[in-house]
Amino acid sequence: MQHKTKRPVQFEITAVTREALQAWIKQAALKSDDFLFPSRLHDSPHLGTRHYARILGHWVDELGLDRKSTRLNSSH
């Protein structure tokens, strides 16, 4: 959901990603109104943007990609 406009955001994912997400949803017993990636903090129902950027940054590093060529370099 777009924060500013409150409108849904569409994006494409690969078949492998879709399968991994389906497995996660099943394992976590998530319902349609649950956040896909809940926060570990009790006062927040979902991950914050900084935490999400940190996780994504680690993925970029593990893939050997250059953070400078992404928009993730602001997370450091």
Side-chain angles (χ1 to χ4, degrees), residues 1 7 12 17 20 26 32 38-39 41 47 50 61 63-64 66 71 76:
M1 187 71 71
R7 296 178 73 182
E12 293 184 38
T17 301
K26 184 177 180 178
S32 62
S39 174
L41 303 175
L47 291 179
R50 285 186 183 202
D61 292 344
L63 292 170
D66 181 9
R71 298 186 66 165
H76 282 287

Side-chain angles (χ1 to χ4, degrees), residues 11-38:
F11 57 92
E12 293 184 38
I13 59 175
T14 65
V16 173
T17 301
R18 185 177 301 110
E19 290 170 11
L21 286 173
Q22 287 171 335
W24 163 247
I25 290 167
K26 184 177 180 178
Q27 178 185 336
L30 297 176
K31 297 176 184 70
S32 62
D33 58 341
D34 290 334
F35 286 97
L36 186 58
F37 303 110

Side-chain angles (χ1 to χ4, degrees), residues 51-65:
H51 191 185
Y52 176 75
R54 226 176 291 128
I55 292 169
L56 198 56
H58 290 297
W59 292 346
V60 168
D61 292 344
E62 287 183 23
L63 292 170
L65 301 174

